[in-house]
């Protein structure tokens, strides 16, 4: 099974830059999007053999997630179940017979960590949400799903270790590389989830998924790895490939993918 995730930084803009061709070329069984920046009815973009599921932000032109899947899910969740955290369309979670698939667009802590308190609350709630899915509990209440492993992906807005960004020293303490955000990501891994790219590529340097539009960052590969596929530990031995598709353009992020036997 091939799974793909991509922060498209505006789906309508990405579509003008060849999104549909890239979508088709990657041949995903499930394709997750972040930062769609859409409201319902603002785009008609469907693909043969896929059905789509959308989570929209209340604020127009902001945030948003979506998942295209070949298989019909058993159910779809559009939030964490925490009302004040569920206004920005940051979660689209699909239950399949063998696993939960969680598409996430984690809030940015913003300049000078202006939104760090919100981010910390989000990280805790998201971790609890994913562990709940493993146990068979959803925001709809207990006994609405069977316990099963979780595959999560998306823009987590954090570079976990120094190897995950080009300039760690000058970015220490900045949004996306603050001690607080990195510690929360460590807690997510410690809760029983595996970073699939580092599982297969523990020492690879220069592997980034986001580049600033400024300072020729992408041409110079001065980037950050902030887009991930994480899996429940029980699935780790089924991971076959975890790739960063830095050769694919259309956004300030590139797609990342996971091949896994399920």
């Amino acid at each position: 099974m091939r799974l793909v995730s991509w922060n498209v930084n505006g789906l309508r803009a990405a579509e003008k830059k060849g999104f549909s061709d890239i979508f088709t070329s990657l041949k995903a069984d499930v394709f997750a999007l972040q930062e769609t920046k859409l409201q319902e009815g603002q785009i008609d973009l469907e693909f043969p053999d896929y059905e789509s599921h959308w989570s929209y932000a209340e604020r127009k032109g902001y945030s948003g997630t979506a998942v295209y899947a070949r298989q019909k899910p058993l159910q779809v969740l559009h939030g964490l179940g925490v009302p004040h955290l569920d206004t920005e369309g940051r979660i689209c979670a699909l239950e399949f017979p063998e696993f939960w698939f969680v598409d996430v667009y984690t809030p940015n802590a913003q300049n000078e960590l202006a939104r760090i308190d919100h981010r910390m609350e989000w990280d805790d709630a998201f971790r609890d949400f994913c562990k709940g899915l493993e146990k068979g509990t959803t925001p709809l209440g207990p006994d609405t799903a069977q316990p099963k492993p979780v595959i999560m992906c998306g823009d987590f807005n954090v570079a976990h270790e120094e190897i995950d960004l080009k300039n760690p020293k000058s970015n220490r303490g900045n949004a996306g590389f603050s001690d607080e955000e990195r510690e929360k990501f460590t807690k997510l891994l410690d809760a029983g989830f595996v970073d699939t790219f580092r599982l297969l590529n523990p020492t690879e340097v220069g592997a980034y998924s986001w580049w600033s539009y400024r300072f020729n960052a992408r041409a110079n590969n001065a980037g950050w790895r902030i887009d991930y596929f994480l899996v429940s530990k029980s699935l780790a031995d089924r991971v076959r490939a975890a790739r960063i598709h830095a050769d694919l353009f259309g956004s300030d992020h590139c797609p990342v993918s996971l091949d896994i036997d399920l």
Side-chain angles (χ1 to χ4, degrees):
M1 175 174 281
R2 171 163 293 175
L3 312 173
V4 175
S5 174
W6 194 7
N7 179 322
V8 292
N9 192 17
L11 184 54
R12 286 172 293 181
E15 175 61 6
K16 295 176 182 178
K17 300 174 184 177
F19 170 81
S20 289
D21 290 339
I22 292 173
F23 181 100
T24 301
S25 72
L26 289 174
K27 299 179 181 179
D29 294 290
V30 184
F31 200 122
L33 307 179
Q34 305 88 45
E35 206 171 358
T36 55
K37 297 183 178 179
L38 289 170
Q39 304 302 120
E40 187 171 6
Q42 287 190 310
I43 197 169
D44 181 12
L45 185 60
E46 299 295 337
F47 297 93
D49 303 321
Y50 292 87
E51 60 177 57
S52 62
H53 306 273
W54 303 78
S55 294
Y56 302 104
E58 293 179 4
R59 175 180 165 189
K60 293 182 178 179
Y62 181 73
S63 189
T65 51
V67 176
Y68 289 87
R70 293 185 187 272
Q71 183 178 3
K72 184 178 181 63
L74 302 176
Q75 64 173 315
V76 182
L77 305 178
H78 298 280
L80 299 175
V82 183
H84 67 280
L85 296 178
D86 287 338
T87 63
E88 297 178 347
R90 294 183 177 275
I91 291 287
C92 193
L94 283 64
E95 183 185 8
F96 295 107
E98 303 89 358
F99 66 101
W100 274 95
F101 183 88
V102 179
D103 176 20
V104 61
Y105 177 37
T106 302
N108 192 304
Q110 299 185 350
N111 290 340
E112 298 182 356
L113 304 183
R115 211 183 187 197
I116 192 67
D117 290 343
H118 178 85
R119 170 62 181 268
M120 296 296 94
E121 184 180 5
W122 169 276
D123 283 343
D124 288 339
F126 178 73
R127 186 176 65 253
D128 290 345
F129 173 79
C130 292
K131 292 304 292 183
L133 297 183
E134 279 190 329
K135 297 173 184 177
T137 302
T138 76
L140 300 177
D143 303 322
T144 58
Q146 296 297 315
K148 59 186 63 176
V150 172
I151 299 173
M152 66 182 84
C153 68
D155 176 359
F156 285 74
N157 259 316
V158 62
H160 186 217
E161 302 289 358
E162 290 191 354
I163 194 175
D164 295 316
L165 71 166
K166 178 72 171 182
N167 298 304
K169 291 183 179 179
S170 60
N171 281 294
R172 180 73 181 271
N174 289 342
F177 200 59
S178 67
D179 291 346
E180 297 94 328
E181 292 163 297
R182 295 171 66 195
E183 287 170 3
K184 292 294 188 185
F185 195 83
T186 297
K187 285 186 176 181
L188 182 59
L189 299 181
D190 289 346
F193 299 103
V194 176
D195 176 351
T196 59
F197 183 81
R198 283 291 168 228
L199 174 69
L200 300 184
N201 308 279
T203 61
E204 184 173 341
V205 298
Y208 309 128
S209 63
W210 173 80
W211 303 261
S212 170
Y213 279 132
R214 300 180 295 171
F215 312 123
N216 293 315
R218 191 156 188 175
N220 296 323
N221 199 29
W224 301 50
R225 188 174 75 96
I226 60 176
D227 301 271
Y228 299 83
F229 267 97
L230 307 184
V231 300
S232 295
K233 282 185 178 179
S234 62
L235 295 179
D237 62 353
R238 302 189 186 187
V239 172
R240 298 294 173 256
R243 300 183 178 93
I244 299 175
H245 299 269
D247 58 329
L248 297 179
F249 292 78
S251 169
D252 51 350
H253 296 247
C254 72
V256 297
S257 66
L258 175 67
D259 290 355
I260 187 168
D261 288 340
L262 291 172

